[in-house]
């Protein structure tokens, strides 16, 4: 019994130490995440001086709709859908009075179109009834809208209002934060909390845009281009990912 308990404790300790080592072994030259993230941001700013959302919009409301459509969909696809969409429904009142079946047809190619259409109509009605047709400029009010969580709210605040109340965590930010050893969490809300603790407040505004740009161009999910990465000397995953990418390259030959 004692031996079994010792074995279980050893296994538990091994799991904990493995998670800890994943962070501590990655602290390059004795630097912690807070110190490294400043260097990471500096390098990414130099690499992507004009980083911004790839979604096309003219008003805060259009950005809100585009961001909702972009869930589980590429920005490129959304940008093909929104010109016709905003021509058919030019104002928030038009979306509020839209028939769900008709709206579904317009946004079908973005995926999850039924839920998106339902939320868009519902939030448009709420904006008309409670906000005078205007998109609120605070996190507290934005997340009251149907279908709007922190990620969407952060993107709207940062791009439309130049306000930062948090850091938008999408698939790119989640992937890069893990690879760069900035967060070992898996849930967006917890990752955001980790990032807000180490990223200087002045950098919250465009942190997401910098990571998205780098995630799309270099630190891709399946084939990261590690040898071309400006962050390779700061990246704890460089050796593992570059070896993986090399192996994938050999298989394709």
């Amino acid at each position: 019994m004692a031996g079994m308990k010792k074995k279980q404790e050893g296994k538990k300790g091994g799991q904990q130490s493995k998670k800890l080592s994943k962070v501590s072994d990655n602290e390059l030259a004795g630097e912690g995440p807070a110190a490294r993230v400043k260097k990471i941001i500096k390098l990414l700013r130099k690499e992507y001086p004009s980083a911004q959302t790839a979604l096309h919009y003219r008003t805060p409301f259009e950005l809100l709709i585009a961001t909702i459509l972009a869930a589980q969909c590429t920005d490129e696809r959304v940008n093909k859908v929104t010109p016709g969409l905003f021509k058919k429904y030019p104002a928030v009142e038009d979306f509020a009075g839209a028939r769900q079946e008709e709206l579904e047809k317009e946004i079908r190619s973005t995926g999850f179109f039924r839920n998106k259409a339902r939320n868009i109509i519902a939030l448009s009605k709420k904006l008309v009834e409670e906000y005078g047709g205007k998109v609120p400029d605070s996190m507290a009010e934005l997340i009251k809208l149907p279908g709007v969580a922190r990620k969407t709210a952060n993107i709207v605040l940062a791009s439309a209002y130049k306000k930062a109340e948090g850091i938008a965590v999408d698939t790119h930010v989640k992937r890069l934060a893990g690879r760069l050893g900035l967060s070992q969490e898996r849930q967006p809300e917890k990752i955001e909390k980790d990032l807000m603790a180490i990223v200087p407040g002045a950098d919250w505004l465009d942190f997401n845009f910098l990571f998205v740009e780098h995630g799309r161009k270099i630190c891709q999910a399946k084939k990261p281009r590690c040898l071309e990465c400006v962050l390779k000397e700061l990246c704890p995953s460089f050796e593992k990912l570059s070896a993986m990418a090399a192996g994938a390259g050999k298989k394709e030959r």
Side-chain angles (χ1 to χ4, degrees), residues 13-53:
Q15 291 174 336
Q16 291 177 334
S17 62
K18 185 177 180 181
K19 185 174 181 180
L20 288 172
S21 66
K22 194 174 183 181
V23 179
S24 60
D25 289 351
N26 292 337
E27 306 301 52
L28 309 183
E31 285 186 332
R36 282 189 297 113
V37 76
K38 292 179 181 179
K39 294 181 179 180
I40 288 169
I41 292 170
K42 185 177 180 179
L43 287 170
L44 291 182
R45 283 196 190 286
K46 185 176 180 180
E47 194 74 5
Y48 312 107
S50 303
Q52 59 185 333
T53 180

Side-chain angles (χ1 to χ4, degrees), residues 9-244:
E9 288 177 348
K11 184 178 180 181
K12 185 178 180 181
Q15 291 174 336
Q16 291 177 334
S17 62
K18 185 177 180 181
K19 185 174 181 180
L20 288 172
S21 66
K22 194 174 183 181
V23 179
S24 60
D25 289 351
N26 292 337
E27 306 301 52
L28 309 183
E31 285 186 332
R36 282 189 297 113
V37 76
K38 292 179 181 179
K39 294 181 179 180
I40 288 169
I41 292 170
K42 185 177 180 179
L43 287 170
L44 291 182
R45 283 196 190 286
K46 185 176 180 180
E47 194 74 5
Y48 312 107
S50 303
Q52 59 185 333
T53 180
L55 294 170
H56 298 165
Y57 69 97
R58 294 167 298 181
T59 66
F61 179 70
E62 286 190 355
L63 177 59
L64 176 59
I65 299 302
T67 306
I68 289 173
L69 294 178
Q72 303 299 313
C73 180
T74 65
D75 290 351
E76 183 180 9
R77 165 54 56 187
V78 172
N79 287 337
K80 290 180 180 179
V81 170
T82 49
L85 182 67
F86 295 142
K87 184 176 182 180
K88 184 171 183 177
Y89 305 102
V92 61
E93 291 81 5
D94 299 306
F95 278 96
R99 292 179 61 246
Q100 184 167 327
E101 296 78 7
E102 287 298 318
L103 183 54
E104 287 177 2
K105 291 179 183 178
E106 296 291 332
I107 65 173
R108 188 183 185 93
S109 64
T110 67
F112 300 95
F113 57 92
R114 290 191 180 88
N115 282 335
K116 290 178 180 179
R118 187 182 306 114
N119 285 330
I120 287 172
I121 292 173
L123 75 81
S124 296
K125 288 180 178 178
K126 192 175 182 71
L127 288 176
V128 171
E129 295 169 2
E130 300 180 25
Y131 297 92
K134 304 293 183 182
V135 176
D137 62 353
S138 73
M139 176 67 70
E141 295 302 317
L142 279 169
I143 60 176
K144 291 180 182 179
L145 300 175
V148 178
R150 287 191 62 88
K151 184 192 81 170
T152 297
N154 274 318
I155 290 173
V156 171
L157 288 173
S159 294
Y161 295 118
K162 304 304 178 188
K163 290 186 174 183
E165 292 190 34
I167 295 173
V169 177
D170 56 16
T171 183
H172 297 291
V173 174
K174 179 179 179 180
R175 181 173 69 254
L176 269 67
R179 288 178 174 178
L180 289 166
L182 303 180
S183 175
Q184 301 305 314
E185 298 293 347
R186 301 183 67 84
Q187 296 179 14
E189 295 81 5
K190 292 183 178 180
I191 295 171
E192 182 184 11
K193 187 176 180 180
D194 283 348
L195 293 176
M196 288 169 68
I198 60 174
V199 176
D203 296 310
W204 287 9
L205 197 64
D206 54 0
F207 185 86
N208 169 272
F209 306 138
L210 292 170
F211 267 43
V212 169
E213 287 273 11
H214 197 62
R216 285 175 175 157
K217 295 180 180 178
I218 301 295
C219 196
Q220 299 158 355
K222 296 182 179 179
K223 297 180 181 179
R225 297 159 62 183
C226 297
L227 296 179
E228 302 172 44
C229 184
V230 296
L231 304 179
K232 58 188 175 185
E233 293 183 5
L234 294 170
C235 181
S237 304
F238 172 70
E239 290 187 9
K240 179 182 177 181
L241 291 176
S242 56
M244 181 182 77

